[in-house]
Amino acid sequence: MVELAGTIKVISKLLRDFLVAEEYAYREGFLQGVDQKVKLMAILLLIVLAVSTQNIFFLLLLFLFSLTMVLLSKVSLRMYLPRFGFIPIFALIIVLPWIFLMPGQPALTFIGLNVTKPGIMYVITFTLRVTACVSCVSLLLFTTRVSDLLHTLKSLKIPSPLVDMFGLVYRYLFTFLSELERMLLGRECRVVSDQGLLKNWRDGGNVVGNFLSRTFYRSENVYKAMRARGYDGSFKTYPRNDKIGKKSIVFMALVGIMVGIWLVTRL
Amino acid sequence: MARDKVIEAKNLKYRYPDGTVGIEKVDFELWSGEKVAIIGPNGSGKSTLLEILGGLIEPTEGYVKFFGKESIDKYELRRRVGIMLQNPDDVLFNPTVREDLEFGPAQLQMEKEEFNKILEGISQLLDLKLYLNKPPFRLSKGEKQKAALGSVLALKPEVLLLDEPFSAVDIGAKQSMIKYLNRLNEDGVTIVVTAHDLTTVPLLADRVYLLNKRLIAEGSTRDTLTNAELLKNNGLEVPPLVELGLRLGINLVPLTVDEAVRRLRERFCL
Ligand SMILES: Nc1ncnc2c1ncn2[C@@H]1O[C@H](COP(=O)(O)OP(=O)(O)O)[C@@H](O)[C@H]1O
Ligand SMILES: [Mg+2]
């Protein structure tokens, strides 16, 4: 039991830490001061650029650009990198076989298989592209409050039920995770011996069942608390920055330069 | 000026979906400007009653009328009646404390400037400044309770329904919360609190409902809290000062320490 519980706890903690990136959204950094719409559109543009290039230099540059923005936004790289690092690593593992599968000129031979040059190029570009994209998206998540994001999405005419659904799921997620952790903590305090595997799995089933009924009960109460404060099915939020200020203009200019470089690499 | 009836409830019964009866045969009345406590042991239905009074759940039997109206618009109800649920973990569902404080006002579309002023006041009063940008689940139970209270106060309701608001806060915070609630009451806010620990009741309520699934008694705080028999029979602890007063045979048994000091001074010429 202890092991299973331990695993769930680690996952839940990771998720929660990821979600809590929100704390950074309140710092008085560079991107936090950029208008939400400008930021959203610019970052989407950067992602489009990343997806539509084969140029390793550009992808590297884009990644460095995003790291610079992170630093300017008063988020430390030590906090930033581990949060999304697992995604590019995962991507690398998935595309790695292509170093053999891609037809082309062999670069070297490895246990009887040919590693091709196009294969290597493909794997590097793919991983770099994923890294750059994920980094740009994280940039957005780290410097924007979720409620601002919802507000912006709505003002961009994304269908409101969709946005509200996202808002609801996002809020419930916290409740679920905290409930899960609390329950496991409660168990841990009482479980003393390390039981056999069978008992372990049976307990696992109990935990899941118990968890579901508890979260159901909790979510009902959370819903009550929402209604108590006037929630009527659609989240309303206060927008934060209404004016397009200096920071927004500087950011647009920087993104403009990136677009310029992208164009040059296309020539 | 004649006082208005804020809430009128008759013959309330609530049965939970699993068949458990939360409360039955409860009548309740609340007048504008009152301070009322609902007391009773664990599981006596305090939270159930409060949620009905806050319009969050519909009674299975009986009726609730708000502000003397036959039916009330949900939006108006939410603006005028603020309710704080017992478990702060349910109340604080936003990623940061600040967003929890602004959730209500944003839903009710309060002006941003007005909210900012309220936020300043509330975070000052409840000592929340340091926690504003923190995720609520990183707070201690007492801090959560303060934040939960703040999130209801942010709405500036006319009627405040608070479910055991002091159960986890420390003595300092409790005292300042009580002082503040009394001040709000002087400004016209009607207050209902629930409690199973009776020590704070005399400091915050003039009138008491004693609940034990059914309505057992209703009366002034003094009459109810000095009825040791009644309290004991319903699973409540007789407040130590009351016990002392009763045993010493002091007439007009003291409810608060201040009162006890005054009476003892008078009696023993201290
Ligand atoms: N969601 C629920 N489902 C079933 N029974 C419940 C639920 N909530 C409360 N109860 C039951 O209703 C009764 C009254 O509960 P409650 O109003 O929470 O009491 P109190 O707040 O005075 O401790 C208790 O017997 C409790 O077990
Ligand atoms: Mg209760």
Side-chain angles (χ1 to χ4, degrees), chain B residues 54-102:
Chain B
L56 290 181
I57 54 180
E58 300 268 334
T60 321
E61 281 171 27
Y63 71 88
V64 205
K65 240 161 73 175
F66 297 96
F67 305 106
K69 300 182 180 182
E70 279 311 317
S71 73
I72 187 166
D73 171 45
K74 279 239 162 68
Y75 185 80
E76 183 189 350
L77 181 67
R78 292 282 61 95
R79 224 185 33 229
R80 299 178 72 178
V81 179
I83 173 168
M84 171 185 161
L85 302 180
Q86 181 166 5
N87 183 355
D89 287 314
D90 295 335
V91 180
L92 307 169
F93 50 80
N94 283 288
T96 59
V97 172
R98 180 194 299 272
E99 276 169 274
D100 262 310
L101 293 176
E102 92 185 13

Side-chain angles (χ1 to χ4, degrees), chain B residues 161-181:
Chain B
L161 310 175
L162 309 173
D163 200 351
E164 307 208 16
F166 317 117
S167 60
V169 295
D170 59 43
I171 181 78
K174 182 150 72 178
Q175 276 167 354
S176 69
M177 273 154 87
I178 288 176
K179 214 157 113 193
Y180 182 72
L181 290 174

Side-chain angles (χ1 to χ4, degrees), chain A residues 98-99 102-106 116-123:
Chain A
W98 283 95
I99 54 173
M102 207 78 162
Q105 202 187 359
T116 66
K117 269 185 189 161
I120 294 176
M121 283 310 284
Y122 177 73
V123 169

Side-chain angles (χ1 to χ4, degrees), chain A residues 183-225:
Chain A
M183 200 173 85
L184 292 174
L185 199 67
R187 289 186 64 85
E188 224 166 73
C189 299
R190 280 168 290 165
V191 174
V192 269
S193 67
D194 197 3
Q195 294 124 333
L197 192 63
L198 189 69
K199 179 96 172 58
N200 207 326
W201 276 107
R202 212 171 45 220
D203 268 14
N206 281 344
V207 167
V208 172
N210 193 358
F211 171 63
L212 288 181
S213 70
R214 280 175 71 146
T215 43
F216 181 71
Y217 176 70
R218 276 291 302 279
S219 63
E220 226 169 62
N221 283 341
V222 169
Y223 182 58
K224 257 185 218 161

Side-chain angles (χ1 to χ4, degrees), chain B residues 240-260:
Chain B
L241 275 175
V242 170
E243 180 106 46
L244 186 75
L246 287 174
R247 289 220 211 151
L248 288 175
I250 300 176
N251 63 353
L252 256 170
V253 174
L255 292 177
T256 63
V257 174
D258 286 343
E259 212 178 46

Side-chain angles (χ1 to χ4, degrees), chain B residues 224-241:
Chain B
T224 317
L225 292 199
T226 53
N227 191 339
E229 188 110 358
L230 183 73
L231 296 180
K232 276 186 198 149
N233 287 343
N234 288 289
L236 288 166
E237 191 190 11
V238 182
L241 275 175

